[in-house]
Amino acid sequence: MAVDIEKTLKNITQDFEFFSLACDETTDITNTAQLAIFVRGITSEFDTTEDLLSLQAMHGTTKGEDLFGQVMSAMNQYELSFEKLSGLATDGAPAMVGVQRGLTALIRREMSRQNIDTSELVVCHCIIHQENLCAHSLKLSNVMSTVVSTINFIKSRGLNSRQFKELLSELESEYGDLVYHCDVRWLSRGEMLARFYKLREEVKQFMDMKGKPVDELSDDKWLCDLAFMVDITKHLSELNVKLQGPNQLVSALVSNVKAFEAKLKLWQIQLLKGNTVHFPTLQEQKPSVTSEYAAECAKLVHAFGERFQDMKSKVKELNIFATPFNVQPADVSDNLQLEIIELQSNDELKAKYNNLPLLEFYKLYVRSDEFPGLRRHVLRFASLFGTTYCCEQFSKLTLAKSRFRSRLTDQNLEKQLRVASSSLPSNIRGLAKEKQFQPSH
């Protein structure tokens, strides 16, 4: 099945007008580094494909040169040319983005060696990862340390955990247990804080019974801090969910981030005035002063402003792709100015643009004979990865190569991940016909 999917993918890649790569690295159960390389390509008819290009086992070092060698090997296997490479999404690790010897630097160097213009190559640090790093700027450590230590006391001991569940059952609580927090897992902080807040009375009662009272649970100021953290992490989690998912256009991802930045600025102003309308949990606690929480929002505003520079530097090109009727012709590159004027002057096309999905509009109404430059620009940006979300399927790799199957070969591991993650169907009927049925005895 994996070989059949691979053949199908190879046929599809031959029709790509542009493609981008998403690369991420992890280690398996045997501490072997595994580099996952995913491809997102688009044909001249705006058919997009996202799929696993290769899973490369790296038994030696994992420097930028090693990663580059694996990427070159995967591209050669599928006969992909650097001339069609539109972008590269990474996790932002030094081996990926190092200025001199990182993967991105070596790819640019190879493109220059082949006399390919590297100015159009869009290198993107995963937007989801950057959003997660921004969330770390929240500094109400007094809340996290108390919550985490309390949960660890209850959950890390079997007897305590069983007794706490029994207490919740006796009190007919809405929830049956607390939630662990792990920094690596998405959204775990928000879920943990929300569950802890809702069970705060039960937790206080249980800790008192155990002779380990948590004084903070009787402190109104600390409860206000906890309530704020519940609300702000909920907002961050909602943004995180919007950024997840396959086949997302990079323009939509950037729009979600821009919208969240605007919300943060609004919340900062409102909290300075004591307005907690968008923080319902905090509103329950009726805080007397909210300026401290406005300062926390300001930290997030600053963090979001400093990050996402790779995409913000391409905002004009993204606007041409996502909102071609709103850009000023004088602000676009010379080769697109006349085409943008022609497009914006056509009221019929504007009506179609307002009533159709973006790629469908370009596919049906922006023809290559009338708008060759614009169509090429759109194809290039439609092929971009904005995140390494597709690479986060390492959980499937962990299931395939577990401690019970630690001797699984590199080739079979790649095949299992390909079958588990691919959106391309395998020809089951054709494969079955190639097999001989068991003859009767």
Side-chain angles (χ1 to χ4, degrees):
M1 289 173 66
V3 171
D4 186 65
I5 292 172
E6 193 174 329
K7 287 180 182 177
T8 303
L9 180 61
K10 183 173 284 189
N11 291 332
I12 293 174
T13 57
Q14 304 309 305
D15 296 327
F16 284 167
E17 289 290 317
F18 291 99
F19 71 93
S20 64
L21 300 176
C23 302
D24 201 357
E25 181 210 338
T26 190
T27 54
D28 60 26
I29 192 69
T30 61
N31 284 329
T32 301
Q34 300 284 352
L35 176 67
I37 308 171
F38 279 76
V39 65
R40 174 182 170 87
I42 190 167
T43 68
S44 59
E45 293 301 311
F46 287 88
D47 296 321
T48 58
T49 301
E50 276 187 19
D51 218 276
L52 176 68
L53 192 69
S54 179
L55 180 69
Q56 302 280 3
M58 306 177 69
H59 296 278
T61 59
T62 57
K63 299 177 182 178
E65 295 93 336
D66 304 310
L67 301 178
F68 176 70
Q70 301 292 358
V71 170
M72 284 286 290
S73 174
M75 289 179 61
N76 291 335
Q77 180 183 350
Y78 287 86
E79 300 177 4
L80 292 170
S81 166
F82 278 104
E83 291 180 350
K84 297 181 179 181
L85 180 62
S86 59
L88 180 68
T90 72
D91 60 359
M96 294 283 187
V97 298
V99 177
Q100 296 298 327
R101 295 187 174 183
L103 172 62
T104 56
L106 294 173
I107 285 178
R108 289 184 188 276
R109 198 173 302 165
E110 177 63 22
M111 292 176 70
S112 298
R113 191 186 68 79
Q114 297 184 22
N115 297 319
I116 301 171
D117 182 12
T118 61
S119 62
E120 291 189 340
L121 181 68
V122 180
V123 177
C124 172
H125 180 183
C126 173
I127 292 177
I128 295 175
H129 187 223
Q130 291 192 78
E131 185 258 354
N132 198 28
L133 292 174
C134 289
H136 288 170
S137 63
L138 290 171
K139 297 299 182 184
L140 290 176
S141 56
N142 61 319
V143 172
M144 291 302 297
S145 60
T146 301
V147 172
V148 170
S149 63
T150 304
I151 291 177
N152 285 344
F153 176 80
I154 297 173
K155 296 282 289 180
S156 62
R157 296 168 175 82
L159 177 61
N160 288 350
S161 181
R162 291 193 299 272
Q163 289 176 338
F164 184 66
K165 289 180 181 179
E166 288 176 9
L167 175 64
L168 295 179
S169 178
E170 290 172 6
L171 296 175
E172 298 182 353
S173 174
E174 180 182 355
Y175 298 98
D177 204 355
L178 292 169
V179 177
Y180 259 131
H181 167 55
C182 173
D183 278 331
V184 177
R185 289 178 55 202
W186 292 338
L187 314 180
S188 64
R189 181 189 297 190
E191 293 174 358
M192 175 201 67
L193 288 170
R195 183 70 61 85
F196 186 90
Y197 179 81
K198 289 173 181 176
L199 294 175
R200 63 190 183 281
E201 294 298 332
E202 291 88 342
V203 170
K204 182 178 183 299
Q205 183 177 339
F206 182 79
M207 296 301 284
D208 288 342
M209 287 168 48
K210 284 292 183 178
K212 299 279 187 179
V214 181
D215 297 333
E216 288 86 349
L217 289 171
S218 302
D219 184 348
D220 291 340
K221 173 63 173 63
W222 188 87
L223 288 174
C224 286
D225 292 348
L226 172 62
F228 171 76
M229 286 293 286
V230 170
D231 286 328
I232 196 66
T233 53
K234 181 175 182 292
H235 291 311
L236 286 164
S237 295
E238 288 172 353
L239 171 62
N240 201 304
V241 170
K242 289 179 182 178
L243 299 177
Q244 295 180 37
N247 293 308
Q248 291 226 50
L249 294 176
V250 67
S251 56
L253 297 171
V254 173
S255 296
N256 286 326
V257 172
K258 285 170 60 179
F260 191 77
E261 286 187 77
K263 291 176 184 178
L264 282 172
K265 293 173 182 175
L266 172 66
W267 297 335
Q268 181 185 352
I269 294 170
Q270 290 179 331
L271 288 171
L272 281 171
K273 297 177 180 178
N275 184 348
T276 58
V277 65
H278 296 293
F279 294 82
T281 312
L282 180 61
Q283 204 168 41
E284 287 179 13
Q285 295 297 319
K286 300 178 181 178
S288 56
V289 180
T290 57
S291 56
E292 180 185 355
Y293 309 126
E296 293 297 324
C297 286
K299 291 176 185 176
L300 282 173
V301 169
H302 179 71
F304 272 81
E306 283 192 330
R307 293 197 173 273
F308 309 102
Q309 294 303 320
D310 42 13
M311 285 293 102
K312 289 177 179 177
S313 65
K314 299 290 182 180
V315 65
K316 288 185 178 180
E317 290 91 337
L318 279 171
N319 288 340
I320 296 170
F321 166 63
T323 56
F325 289 92
N326 295 338
V327 298
Q328 294 297 321
D331 294 335
V332 308
S333 57
D334 296 342
N335 66 314
L336 294 178
Q337 288 175 347
L338 299 182
E339 292 183 19
I340 288 293
I341 291 174
E342 289 286 343
L343 183 77
Q344 293 179 350
S345 301
N346 192 319
D347 292 335
E348 183 180 350
L349 286 181
K350 191 170 186 178
K352 299 292 185 184
Y353 169 81
N354 291 328
N355 294 314
L356 287 173
L358 189 61
L359 292 188
E360 189 173 346
F361 163 74
Y362 282 121
K363 175 182 178 178
L364 296 176
Y365 299 104
V366 181
R367 297 193 297 272
S368 56
D369 56 339
E370 293 183 58
F371 306 97
L374 179 59
R375 192 175 176 96
R376 180 182 183 278
H377 178 89
V378 169
L379 286 168
R380 188 162 64 87
F381 274 84
S383 69
L384 291 177
F385 275 114
T387 71
T388 57
Y389 173 82
C390 55
C391 298
E392 300 300 334
Q393 303 184 69
F394 285 131
S395 57
K396 296 174 182 176
L397 182 150
T398 306
L399 290 172
K401 191 172 183 178
S402 64
R403 63 190 181 91
F404 301 108
R405 305 178 70 202
S406 59
R407 298 183 67 181
L408 193 68
T409 64
D410 297 333
Q411 293 78 11
N412 282 337
L413 181 61
E414 179 184 20
K415 287 178 170 59
Q416 292 208 21
L417 184 61
R418 187 178 301 282
V419 173
S421 64
S422 179
S423 58
L424 301 175
S426 55
N427 184 4
I428 303 296
R429 289 183 179 275
L431 293 173
K433 287 180 180 178
E434 295 175 1
K435 304 297 179 183
Q436 181 180 356
F437 293 104
Q438 179 68 36
S440 59
H441 296 287

